[in-house]
Amino acid sequence: DGMNVLFIVVDDLRPVLGCYGDKLVKSPNIDQLASQSIVFSNAYAQQAVCAPSRVSFLTGRRPDTTRLYDFYSYWRVHAGNYSTMPQYFKENGYVTLSVGKVFHPGVSSNYSDDYPYSWSIPPFHPSTEKYENDKTCRGKDGKLYANLVCPVDVTEMPSGTLPDIQSTEEAIRLLNVMKTNKQKFFLAVGYHKPHIPLRYPQEFLKLYPLENITLAPDPWVPEKLPSVAYNPWTDIRLRDDVKALNVSFPYGPLPDDFQRQIRQSYYAAVSYLDMQVGLLLNALDDAGLSNSTIVVFTADHGWSLGEHGEWAKYSNFDVATRVPLMFYVPGMTTSSLSQGERIFPYLDPFSHVLGLVPQGQSKKVVELVSLFSTLAELAGLQVPPACPETSFHVALCTEGASIVRYFNASEEKAEEEKDGCDDTFRCFNEESVAFSQYPRPADTPQWNSDKPKLKDIRIMGYSMRTVDYRYTLWVRFYPNNFSANFEDVHAGELYMVETDPNQDYNIYNNISHGLLFKKILG
């Protein structure tokens, strides 16, 4: 009698959450979830852009195996007919449901969010999603603009609502249908904010007076940053309010006061998201499903808020690759509930200041590519086998080992003692490592540096993050046969976490790194 799964994935959410130690943000509902969960403080996406990241964690394969580095191919056609996590649950007797942005819509999920392979019924998309990039932001002159910073009066919006509000309502409706039909479910809910435009109900601005908003701790482009590593944030430059600032390409910078406004609106959008998550979890309680449902909360990647003079994702820095990741597992991360006990009462972000600490916190470095095997194990399904070296022909396997073994803090110590490894895949490394990568069209920032199409990729930045360092190599890449030449290194980066947590001082040229080179090749 396996558990249900509620899988919440957020667009562009870096861990600016109370449960991750952020002092400014108001996120009481996500913090409440964290207080009943195991929280991973070192979780990383495999590529810091929507479609490649989502296809990677939904298939359990890395971007070099899905062959998706942009938005323009469907893995089942261009790489291999890989099973997805929801498909595996569906084949194991679950009703699988998708609400909002789970797969990236469009070519990369076959214009169908991979229905019918992955989902039992056609995925739900909010009807107001189509207005997302329209001119709906009222400027000081009373006219409407397509701005980056876009607090709105929801009653003035098309249909009097916003996409994430609609997604919450639909997800709650489906929870109640599942309860009535007594069906075992895997419900994925994809929230769009804090993805740009930063469009959210204007009352959330009240939580963040501008005078409390600081600039990034390192708002300058680091002196030793290789130009290939820089992302010139072209997407935000296309917004009306940013366009009006006439900022120079590629390095800017944006004026300080506008940087503060972006940061303020990002935080406001996170509190708006927190409210949606709170309403959804409260409905799980209402339906009496909290003691039989695993809840996972994560994001597809992070988002730079001015660090290194960068905005948006599109890089290998922690601010772009690090994500929140937490698992609530009834009876495992919390003691079992007595019938009718509430575990997720809704908390109003405007009145609740919670100082809740996570139930368990793991500092192990983990990757989103491990989600598939981890959720299979938690639900009591057979864990898909580890992929062989080349797996284009293998329909069901994963390139990320389950991280359930890290759920218990005492096991973490046993893991370090390394007593009797059960297979090489699990112990391919003495220390846990996360791999990310990012493609570039050239050695210097171009208009298409953030999102190069496959045919234009010339360099791939392969990045390796451990507890102690981030090491990145920018190497020649050949898109016609998807191969990288590690003998043709264009640039390198090395940051030591302890002395340089913000990754501002690249010491790649200061030391010999033969060992690191061997490791990234391995």
Side-chain angles (χ1 to χ4, degrees):
D1 235 32
M3 297 244 188
N4 304 309
V5 177
L6 173 58
F7 181 78
I8 303 170
V9 58
V10 184
D11 231 342
D12 294 21
L13 177 67
R14 59 191 262 167
V16 293
L17 297 165
C19 51
Y20 279 83
D22 191 287
K23 300 282 185 280
L24 185 64
V25 76
K26 308 274 190 294
S27 54
N29 294 288
I30 297 166
D31 297 346
Q32 176 170 257
L33 172 63
S35 75
Q36 306 289 340
S37 302
I38 168 100
V39 174
F40 285 89
S41 58
N42 263 319
Y44 297 89
Q46 275 45 79
Q47 191 181 322
V49 68
C50 308
S53 174
R54 288 163 187 263
V55 168
S56 169
F57 68 67
L58 288 163
T59 60
R61 320 269 183 135
R62 299 178 188 281
D64 282 349
T65 308
T66 65
R67 294 189 156 171
L68 182 69
Y69 313 111
D70 58 17
F71 297 80
Y72 307 106
S73 69
Y74 179 41
W75 77 91
R76 292 187 194 274
V77 174
H78 290 269
N81 190 20
Y82 311 146
S83 294
T84 67
M85 173 167 53
Q87 177 182 356
Y88 189 60
F89 275 83
K90 182 170 162 234
E91 287 164 359
N92 278 282
Y94 281 72
V95 176
T96 57
L97 307 158
S98 172
V99 171
K101 185 175 170 184
V102 180
F103 278 100
H104 190 85
V107 187
S108 63
S109 56
N110 204 30
Y111 298 99
S112 66
D113 297 275
D114 198 44
Y115 174 79
Y117 297 103
S118 286
W119 311 109
S120 305
I121 60 173
F124 169 85
H125 283 281
S127 61
T128 60
E129 213 170 64
K130 58 179 172 288
Y131 307 115
E132 202 45 30
N133 294 313
D134 290 3
K135 294 181 186 275
T136 54
C137 323
R138 204 165 286 291
K140 295 220 174 13
D141 57 7
K143 293 196 185 116
L144 292 176
Y145 295 93
N147 285 343
L148 168 62
V149 173
C150 186
V152 296
D153 176 346
V154 178
T155 60
E156 288 182 2
M157 291 299 103
S159 309
T161 188
L162 290 171
D164 285 344
I165 297 172
Q166 291 184 294
S167 292
T168 302
E169 289 164 355
E170 176 64 7
I172 291 172
R173 189 187 73 79
L174 289 170
L175 282 178
N176 291 319
V177 171
M178 290 299 107
K179 184 207 169 154
T180 308
N181 298 352
K182 296 189 169 46
Q183 285 173 301
K184 198 165 59 170
F185 63 84
F186 177 105
L187 169 59
V189 182
Y191 284 116
H192 201 248
K193 294 302 120 181
H195 191 288
I196 66 168
L198 298 169
R199 189 168 77 114
Y200 54 85
Q202 60 197 16
E203 55 272 23
F204 285 93
L205 269 180
K206 289 206 278 282
L207 294 172
Y208 304 102
L210 209 46
E211 60 268 22
N212 296 353
I213 307 291
T214 59
L215 296 179
D218 51 349
W220 57 83
V221 179
E223 189 190 334
K224 292 188 175 167
L225 180 71
S227 54
V228 67
Y230 186 78
N231 77 281
W233 33 281
T234 29
D235 58 353
I236 76 164
R237 292 170 191 271
L238 302 173
R239 304 279 155 178
D240 291 344
D241 49 356
V242 180
K243 224 186 271 178
L245 296 168
N246 215 355
V247 178
S248 70
F249 185 88
Y251 296 110
L254 288 171
D256 286 5
D257 61 331
F258 193 73
Q259 293 196 34
R260 283 196 179 85
Q261 285 176 44
I262 299 177
R263 289 169 66 91
Q264 175 192 38
S265 274
Y266 187 89
Y267 274 85
V270 171
S271 290
Y272 160 58
L273 160 78
D274 182 78
M275 182 182 213
Q276 302 311 312
V277 172
L279 293 168
L280 178 60
L281 294 174
N282 183 55
L284 190 72
D285 258 1
D286 284 346
L289 293 166
S290 298
N291 53 1
S292 56
T293 304
I294 295 163
V295 181
V296 192
F297 178 88
T298 192
D300 54 358
H301 44 70
W303 211 78
S304 303
L305 286 165
E307 295 85 2
H308 317 114
E310 292 178 302
W311 300 89
K313 45 250 187 183
Y314 319 123
S315 83
N316 279 321
F317 282 120
D318 280 11
V319 281
T321 54
R322 184 170 166 243
V323 292
L325 177 63
M326 60 189 82
F327 298 85
Y328 160 76
V329 189
M332 185 179 188
T333 62
T334 56
S335 48
S336 339
L337 291 183
S338 51
Q339 227 23 60
E341 191 187 332
R342 295 197 74 80
I343 191 155
F344 301 125
Y346 173 71
L347 303 172
D348 181 350
F350 291 92
S351 53
H352 271 91
V353 182
L354 268 186
L356 288 175
V357 285
Q359 181 72 25
Q361 193 136 24
S362 174
K363 291 192 168 60
K364 281 280 179 197
V365 174
V366 296
E367 308 173 289
L368 290 185
V369 75
S370 291
L371 276 169
F372 190 162
S373 46
T374 302
L375 276 174
E377 183 174 344
L378 290 174
L381 305 180
Q382 194 173 355
V383 179
C387 290
E389 185 80 30
T390 350
S391 63
F392 296 109
H393 57 290
V394 185
L396 180 67
C397 69
T398 78
E399 293 179 333
S402 165
I403 58 175
V404 175
R405 64 191 190 281
Y406 298 150
F407 277 34
N408 188 326
S410 58
E411 279 167 33
E412 214 169 292
K413 291 187 181 60
E415 180 76 16
E416 278 154 28
E417 286 154 29
K418 271 288 156 289
D419 39 9
C421 249
D422 58 349
D423 66 54
T424 47
F425 179 60
R426 294 204 154 194
C427 307
F428 92 104
N429 223 314
E430 304 74 65
E431 57 183 341
S432 51
V433 179
F435 292 98
S436 303
Q437 61 193 93
Y438 212 86
R440 294 283 187 237
D443 285 298
T444 54
Q446 310 294 316
W447 279 100
N448 63 338
S449 285
D450 292 352
K451 293 189 276 194
K453 290 186 170 165
L454 175 64
K455 65 177 176 47
D456 297 323
I457 298 172
R458 295 293 173 270
I459 301 162
M460 187 68 75
Y462 288 96
S463 196
M464 180 167 84
R465 175 67 156 82
T466 70
V467 160
D468 299 315
Y469 60 84
R470 177 176 285 289
Y471 173 65
T472 305
L473 282 182
W474 296 90
V475 301
R476 182 78 168 100
F477 185 82
Y478 299 93
N480 53 332
N481 62 359
F482 300 92
S483 68
N485 179 3
F486 277 84
E487 318 225 296
D488 186 357
V489 177
H490 287 232
E493 296 170 83
L494 178 60
Y495 306 100
M496 304 313 288
V497 173
E498 198 179 335
T499 51
D500 182 20
N502 298 332
Q503 301 171 350
D504 294 319
Y505 303 99
N506 178 12
I507 59 166
Y508 178 81
N509 290 328
N510 307 18
I511 52 182
S512 69
H513 22 73
L515 268 174
L516 296 179
F517 187 74
K518 272 201 191 76
K519 206 165 179 175
I520 207 164
L521 284 178

